[in-house]
Amino acid sequence: MSSEHGGAIHSVLIENRSFPPSAEFASRARVGSIEEYERLWTRAKDDPEGFWGEIAACLTWSKPWSRVLDWQPPHARWFVDATLNAAENCVDRHCVGANRNKAAIIWEGEPGDRRVLRYQDLERETAKLANVLKRFGVRPGDVVAIYMPLVPEAVVAMLACARIGAPHTVVFGGFSAEALAGRIQDCGAKVLLTADGGWRRGKIVPLKEQADLALATCPTVENVIVYQRTAHKVGFEPGRDHWWHEVTAEASPDCPPVAVDSEHPLFILYTSGSTGKPKGILHTTGGYLVGCHATTGWVFDLRDDDTYFCTADIGWITGHSYVVYGPLARGATVVLYEGAPNWPDEARFWKIIEDYRVSILYTAPTAIRAFMKWGEQYPLRHDLSSLRLLGTVGEPINPEAWIWYQRVIGGGRCPIVDTWWQTETGAIMISPLPGATPTVPGSATRPLPGVVPEIVTKDGKPVPVGHGGLLVIKQPWPAMLRTLHGDDDRYRATYWSEIDGCYFTGDGARRDENGNYWILGRVDDVLNVAGHRLSTMEIESALVSHARVAEAAVVGRPDDIRGQAIVAFVTLESGQSPSEAVRQELRAHVVKEIGALARPDDIRFSESLPKTRSGKIMRRLLRDVAAGRETVGDTSTIEDFSVLARLRSDDEV
Ligand code: WTA
């Protein structure tokens, strides 16, 4: 981590509005008062094993555990010796009794096509695909890669893997061939599940084309199963490629779930870190599923009659934990939408909510800010009275957006849960409980039961109330990552070496006198663009891999809608001159290397970059330049001060 911020983070946001839960919501909520929450939290802190042992009874286990937790820092094993199957917990167990005909997934494609999969349909489809995977030689422990649009089959794909104990790695469909290839190579996937394409803003996302490019450098992939979504013409390699509808048509719908060890890997999900290539976050089965199940109940107060809509793609952790594993483990009805929120117009989400009588909406601050910009007229066109709870995730939500969300979307009656967590934490960590916690716009409020955070200085000393510092977690929790795939040293170095004995989140935070937590954003070189983590380092490597580029530094600049915009400072090779054409070429190059989500908003050319005497690029200064701010910090170590003056004046070519 770069420690330019150290432990001293200046926090300027002061927010005094507070919204207690309504008596009506509290009366039927699982946790109905702040006292009850505090009792739960204290109990979990004092006796984590007793607490989680009781909570874990919510799942169906094939064999009970001998111990709840084996903690050999920094490695945890939860529900030691127990066995279970995640797909059985998310599907099969709901297929006995009345819920078998309940809608598991209500899906809407971007062009307007609709499908409903009942729990029994989900069981049948999952079992068939699992049999196909077995036929292609997938054994427990073999990794399967998934690169799909948001169709029900993407969920089927994840659950089919879980059914046979094959860890999945889902790669977001917006990533490029290069990004897909890097991930497949890292985890050595044997099979790729993909589609011909998906729909986004009326256009085809050419998934198969990207997959073909990626597979040229992925020798471990022996078979590719292609779901037909767009039905446009795609390349097909006989022997390697198979149409999903053909292979599953022949498959038996009978495939008993494999009981795996509680610590058997459920999935690897890649996320950006501040250095090096993306990190393969490894989650295992028992603890992760207990965490998802418990938090879905506490935070969303999810009930049998809810219709729950989470707008995340399954390519992100939010899609894993709160589209698939959490809600389905609870037998909920999940609404899934394939496309863009502004297609065919800006009212699409509101129409979906009206059409399906959605009761819980979980989305991201960046989306809320876009809705605000588009205007109230779109939500006002639709009946949103079915909503009873709203959630946000991905970045700090500014109080203005929070209030707008509450007033315009929630009609002033829905509690808002601002949920702080990470790919690494697997499940929500800090969030209001909607029937218990008074909410404060902009604060994720209180830690969930079983989560023991602290805010500390770089030396690990707790900071006083009201001061900013580094957010750490002091006790292990069931859904925590277990390691980084293939790189346990990096796991130790990234999360367990910064602050002695604690899990280091990489976020800054402040706690106020009421015990509420305020997340202040990343303290390392990770950007948060539209709620997605991007490493400045990866974008820099993509830029430097272009023949014209000698050196690059990437920083974030505050952006009204997306939280942060990407600004790249680029030094060209000698003999190259800056121009608009080169700028476009570099943008396109980053899109090709990583994907459109990493496209730099600004590229500024500079003959040199500000560096310390030891040669480290001073990003803090570049952040100030990018934001058009005066440099306030310490510049005493800067090597060539004139660089900074030039950067400010030569903004544009
Ligand atoms: C940020 C997403 C403030 C934070 C689930 C974290 C948030 C990173 C919030 C993880 C929130 C997420 N308030 N910041 N409610 N939720 N973050 O791994 O910086 O994609 O470390 O997981 O997003 O991003 P990730």
Side-chain angles (χ1 to χ4, degrees):
M1 140 194 168
S2 100
S3 40
E4 284 166 7
H5 289 278
I9 295 168
H10 191 56
S11 170
V12 287
L13 197 68
I14 301 295
E15 173 64 54
N16 297 317
R17 287 168 287 192
S18 173
F19 298 86
S22 74
E24 194 208 335
F25 199 103
S27 68
R28 58 167 285 197
R30 284 201 173 76
V31 181
S33 71
I34 196 77
E35 294 75 25
E36 200 181 331
Y37 153 77
E38 278 165 358
R39 267 198 305 279
L40 270 178
W41 189 83
T42 309
R43 156 97 212 280
K45 176 172 177 285
D46 295 343
D47 176 21
E49 294 193 42
F51 178 79
W52 286 112
E54 277 167 32
I55 298 278
C58 62
L59 296 185
T60 303
W61 299 83
S62 306
K63 190 179 133 204
W65 49 91
S66 58
R67 268 179 79 179
V68 171
L69 171 65
D70 175 24
W71 178 225
Q72 313 282 340
H75 294 117
R77 292 196 305 146
W78 282 91
F79 311 108
V80 181
D81 297 326
T83 65
L84 77 167
N85 183 280
E88 179 181 6
N89 273 283
C90 291
V91 184
D92 299 39
R93 66 174 176 155
H94 310 309
C95 290
V96 286
N99 273 355
R100 68 183 183 281
N101 278 318
K102 182 177 177 181
I105 296 173
I106 297 177
W107 173 80
E108 197 171 286
E110 194 187 73
D113 38 348
R114 294 173 169 194
R115 280 166 61 201
V116 175
L117 268 77
R118 301 166 304 159
Y119 272 97
Q120 0 179 3
D121 303 323
L122 195 55
E123 182 180 37
R124 188 180 323 110
E125 297 308 315
T126 303
K128 280 183 170 182
L129 185 65
N131 275 328
V132 171
L133 292 173
K134 284 207 275 194
R135 201 189 97 203
F136 288 139
V138 178
R139 302 275 164 263
D142 290 343
V143 180
V144 173
I146 299 174
Y147 182 60
M148 293 191 62
L150 205 48
V151 291
E153 281 67 19
V155 179
V156 169
M158 293 165 73
L159 294 168
C161 293
R163 194 170 192 86
I164 58 171
H168 53 69
T169 188
V170 182
V171 180
F172 171 55
F175 276 122
S176 69
E178 275 77 2
L180 174 63
R183 287 158 171 77
I184 293 179
Q185 287 157 5
D186 188 76
C187 66
K190 205 166 174 177
V191 168
L192 172 66
L193 300 172
T194 186
D196 49 358
W199 292 106
R200 186 87 192 168
R201 292 203 179 83
K203 294 208 183 70
I204 289 176
V205 182
L207 294 169
K208 180 62 165 59
E209 201 181 305
Q210 293 294 311
D212 284 340
L213 287 170
L215 291 180
T217 56
C218 298
T220 56
V221 175
E222 293 159 6
N223 290 286
V224 179
I225 304 174
V226 187
Y227 178 73
Q228 194 173 49
R229 166 73 186 125
T230 47
H232 71 298
K233 199 167 163 34
V234 292
F236 221 72
E237 199 180 298
R240 186 196 72 181
D241 297 351
H242 315 271
W243 284 113
W244 185 301
H245 56 272
E246 289 177 6
V247 286
T248 52
E250 300 154 8
S252 152
D254 187 19
C255 179
V258 177
V260 297
D261 190 273
S262 176
E263 284 300 326
H264 187 77
L266 180 60
F267 63 85
I268 299 166
L269 185 60
Y270 287 87
T271 188
S272 296
S274 54
T275 55
K277 55 185 173 81
K279 301 178 291 193
I281 308 294
L282 181 87
H283 282 288
T284 58
T285 309
Y288 172 78
L289 212 56
V290 168
C292 289
H293 188 282
T295 51
T296 309
W298 286 324
V299 176
F300 299 115
D301 195 42
L302 194 63
R303 296 176 177 273
D304 218 24
D305 55 356
D306 274 314
T307 301
Y308 165 91
F309 180 21
C310 167
T311 66
D313 189 276
I314 53 144
W316 310 109
I317 191 68
T318 305
H320 282 58
S321 303
Y322 299 109
V323 172
V324 180
Y325 290 109
L328 296 182
R330 282 195 174 269
T333 295
V334 175
V335 172
L336 204 63
Y337 167 59
E338 175 186 33
N342 53 351
W343 189 268
D345 69 17
E346 283 72 8
R348 187 64 183 264
F349 279 11
W350 320 126
K351 182 166 185 319
I352 289 173
I353 290 169
E354 174 170 351
D355 285 353
Y356 303 109
R357 307 292 297 152
V358 168
S359 56
I360 300 174
L361 173 68
Y362 191 30
T363 192
T366 185
I368 298 166
R369 291 190 296 264
F371 303 148
M372 284 172 76
K373 188 176 138 221
W374 295 337
E376 288 181 27
Q377 66 274 25
Y378 296 105
L380 287 179
R381 245 193 241 161
H382 292 279
D383 175 7
L384 306 182
S385 63
S386 55
L387 286 171
R388 68 178 193 95
L389 176 69
L390 304 173
T392 86
V393 59
E395 60 183 303
I397 178 167
N398 41 314
E400 193 195 350
W402 194 104
I403 294 285
W404 187 92
Y405 195 30
Q406 191 211 39
R407 179 176 60 85
V408 180
I409 307 306
R413 80 188 167 272
C414 303
I416 294 187
V417 288
D418 172 358
T419 64
W420 176 86
W421 58 296
Q422 308 179 294
T423 306
E424 291 86 345
T425 68
I428 296 169
M429 302 289 275
I430 303 181
S431 166
L433 301 192
T437 319
T439 53
V440 187
S443 169
T445 72
R446 309 280 289 262
L448 295 194
V451 176
V452 186
E454 186 150 67
I455 299 170
V456 299
T457 64
K458 259 167 64 181
D459 312 321
K461 298 204 180 64
V463 301
V465 167
H467 287 240
L470 307 174
L471 179 65
V472 299
I473 312 289
K474 292 174 65 178
Q475 289 184 8
W477 64 100
M480 67 193 278
L481 80 166
R482 297 303 193 260
T483 186
L484 295 179
H485 175 71
D487 201 348
D488 198 56
D489 290 343
R490 192 174 172 200
Y491 167 70
R492 286 173 185 274
T494 310
Y495 304 108
W496 299 95
S497 305
E498 292 288 338
I499 308 294
D500 213 23
C502 293
Y503 168 82
F504 175 57
T505 64
D507 280 350
R510 163 174 81 84
R511 199 164 75 103
D512 67 20
E513 60 284 0
N514 300 318
N516 288 326
Y517 285 77
W518 299 78
I519 308 297
L520 304 173
R522 305 288 309 180
V523 296
D524 54 17
D525 290 327
V526 174
L527 301 181
N528 192 327
V529 178
H532 297 132
R533 275 160 68 177
L534 288 170
S535 142
T536 54
M537 210 291 306
E538 277 168 80
I539 307 172
E540 286 162 7
S541 331
L543 285 165
V544 175
S545 73
H546 191 282
R548 293 188 202 275
V549 175
E551 196 170 41
V554 168
V555 297
R557 154 167 70 68
D559 180 88
D560 283 351
I561 305 285
R562 295 184 305 149
Q564 283 188 302
I566 303 172
V567 181
F569 293 87
V570 171
T571 306
L572 294 176
E573 291 284 0
S574 54
Q576 298 286 342
S577 15
S579 69
E580 193 48 40
V582 173
R583 190 176 273 142
Q584 291 310 334
E585 201 178 308
L586 296 183
R587 279 212 182 94
H589 183 69
V590 173
V591 172
K592 177 175 155 288
E593 291 290 312
I594 305 175
L597 68 170
R599 179 193 287 119
D601 297 273
D602 290 355
I603 295 185
R604 304 197 186 181
F605 296 107
S606 162
E607 277 177 23
S608 51
L609 298 171
K611 292 193 186 154
T612 61
R613 288 180 197 128
S614 62
K616 200 167 166 262
I617 294 174
M618 297 187 79
R619 283 163 211 290
R620 176 168 49 83
L621 304 187
L622 292 176
R623 277 195 281 269
D624 289 340
V625 174
R629 279 193 301 258
E630 275 306 307
T631 299
V632 284
D634 177 19
T635 52
S636 58
T637 54
I638 194 163
E639 188 209 28
D640 174 4
F641 215 88
S642 63
V643 172
L644 201 61
R646 282 202 303 276
L647 276 175
R648 290 191 189 286
S649 53
D650 304 345
D651 273 355
E652 295 304 321
V653 178

